Amino acid sequence: MKKLMRNDPCWCGSKKPYCECHMDFDKKIEMYRKKFHKVPPRSIIKNEEQLQGMRESSKINIAVLDYVAENIKVGMTTQEIDEMVYEKTTAMGGIPAPLNYEGFPKSVCTSINNEVCHGIPSSNIVLADGDIVNVDCSTILNGYFSDSSRMFCLGNVAPEHKKLVDVAKECVELGLAQVKPWGHLGDVADAISKHAKENGYSVVREVGGHGIGLEFHETPFVSYVIKKGTGMVMAPGMVFTIEPMINAGYPDVYVDDDNGWTIYTEDDSYSAQWEIMVHVTDDGYEVMTY
């Protein structure tokens, strides 16, 4: 990369002089690199204009999930959820990011009970009393992406399934508390996996969180089964999702052979997941979606 002089425009696109923007940041990154830590590439560090675009996209994403929360009920089909998401997203000026993404046929993912993630909405799937359902919503607005998911407990949910949903949310909250500038993604993973295991649950290994913003899925892959002090350094300007998939049984999963998308628990145990989108700031974090 071309060496920037102090008064050159910063590489981040802020139009500020390098010395007033990312010069000290680069020195710190280089210090971590020399100590053999995994550091973020410049391409995933967002400037303020980009962050603001992501915040506007996030407003739609949150509003859509709020709308689902107000209307989801026993007897509804998952196709009806898909229609709600499409209509609300487009009415607010956004585009549902999952629609036609790598061939995904719907506007939202709806994953029920033993479905870990990527459940495809259908008019043949009716929500039943006692179901736990993950609704995973993602939005594009003016080229900026946002993403989050929530769990919904329908009707008379068994206590052991309600506990799984609650612990999965606690895992996200404990992971979030570990988001600090110049910490490591492994710090987040360690807090999540410890809490899951303390409650007798397991954490899915193959699927995790991701960077996001200018694309739907960016570097890094966010694992929840790596050790504290490992993984990519969390630098200010990074944005990624925290979305551990917590299984009541074993962590093993498989992909539906018929649709190529839906992931299930291998042992047919229930699975729960909440997802938030987090921006690493100079002094902590900003939750962008929930």
Side-chain angles (χ1 to χ4, degrees), residues 2 10 18 21 32 44 78 88 96 109 112 115 131 173 190 208 225 237 245 269 288-289:
K2 177 188 173 184
C10 187
Y18 180 50
C21 199
Y32 278 93
I44 68 168
T78 52
K88 185 69 172 177
C109 297
I112 304 171
E115 296 176 346
D131 281 346
E173 292 165 349
D190 180 70
V225 293
M245 295 154 205
S269 62
M288 301 185 88
T289 63

Side-chain angles (χ1 to χ4, degrees), residues 38 184-194 197 203-205 221-232:
K38 187 175 183 179
H184 293 79
L185 287 174
D187 305 345
V188 176
D190 180 70
I192 287 169
S193 59
K194 277 184 178 177
K197 289 174 184 176
V203 182
V204 173
R205 301 169 297 229
F221 171 73
V222 182
S223 171
Y224 306 109
V225 293
I226 59 175
K227 294 180 180 179
K228 186 179 179 67
T230 68
M232 186 176 284

Side-chain angles (χ1 to χ4, degrees), residues 199-250:
N199 283 276
Y201 302 140
S202 63
V203 182
V204 173
R205 301 169 297 229
E206 295 85 350
V207 193
H210 53 91
I212 187 170
L214 307 183
E215 296 179 20
F216 197 169
H217 296 94
E218 300 177 353
T219 299
F221 171 73
V222 182
S223 171
Y224 306 109
V225 293
I226 59 175
K227 294 180 180 179
K228 186 179 179 67
T230 68
M232 186 176 284
V233 171
M234 294 182 286
M238 279 178 63
V239 182
F240 56 88
T241 64
I242 300 178
E243 50 174 317
M245 295 154 205
I246 310 300
N247 293 351
Y250 292 105

Side-chain angles (χ1 to χ4, degrees), residues 72-78 80-81 110-113 115 122 124-134 152-158 161 270:
I72 193 169
K73 61 185 177 181
V74 172
M76 174 180 284
T77 67
T78 52
E80 290 178 272
I81 297 174
T110 52
S111 306
I112 304 171
N113 300 336
E115 296 176 346
S122 169
N124 296 321
I125 301 174
V126 180
L127 301 180
D129 183 63
D131 281 346
I132 63 170
V133 187
N134 178 269
F152 298 99
C153 294
L154 300 177
N156 299 298
V157 172
H161 300 153
Y270 276 32

Side-chain angles (χ1 to χ4, degrees), residues 17-203:
Y18 180 50
C19 62
E20 295 178 12
C21 199
H22 276 97
M23 189 170 76
D24 290 341
F25 173 96
D26 282 349
K27 289 177 182 177
K28 200 152 190 175
I29 286 286
E30 188 58 25
M31 180 187 73
Y32 278 93
R33 193 195 310 275
K34 286 180 177 177
K35 293 180 179 178
F36 302 102
H37 294 277
K38 187 175 183 179
V39 297
R42 285 178 173 179
S43 60
I44 68 168
I45 302 300
K46 308 299 188 294
N47 63 36
E48 186 54 38
E49 180 181 347
Q50 292 166 336
L51 289 167
Q52 190 54 38
M54 293 164 66
R55 291 183 188 108
E56 294 303 312
S57 177
S58 296
K59 288 177 184 177
I60 296 177
N61 208 72
I62 293 166
V64 171
L65 280 171
D66 286 346
Y67 185 60
V68 171
E70 292 166 5
N71 291 280
I72 193 169
K73 61 185 177 181
V74 172
M76 174 180 284
T77 67
T78 52
Q79 176 60 30
E80 290 178 272
I81 297 174
D82 185 75
E83 290 166 2
M84 278 197 294
V85 168
Y86 181 84
E87 289 167 7
K88 185 69 172 177
T89 303
T90 55
M92 295 184 72
I95 301 168
L99 187 59
N100 300 318
Y101 175 76
E102 295 186 354
F104 191 80
K106 299 292 181 176
S107 297
V108 67
C109 297
T110 52
S111 306
I112 304 171
N113 300 336
N114 66 331
E115 296 176 346
V116 175
C117 60
H118 303 161
I120 300 177
S122 169
S123 57
N124 296 321
I125 301 174
V126 180
L127 301 180
D129 183 63
D131 281 346
I132 63 170
V133 187
N134 178 269
V135 178
D136 191 346
C137 183
S138 312
T139 305
I140 311 169
L141 179 69
N142 300 325
Y144 295 105
F145 289 78
S146 55
D147 191 9
S148 57
S149 79
R150 299 181 196 173
M151 292 296 300
F152 298 99
C153 294
L154 300 177
N156 299 298
V157 172
E160 62 268 27
H161 300 153
K162 179 65 166 62
K163 180 186 176 185
L164 174 66
V165 170
D166 291 343
V167 170
K169 189 172 188 180
E170 291 165 5
C171 284
V172 171
E173 292 165 349
L174 290 167
L176 175 63
Q178 295 301 312
V179 176
K180 299 177 178 67
W182 311 110
H184 293 79
L185 287 174
D187 305 345
V188 176
D190 180 70
I192 287 169
S193 59
K194 277 184 178 177
H195 190 64
K197 289 174 184 176
E198 285 168 0
N199 283 276
Y201 302 140
S202 63
V203 182

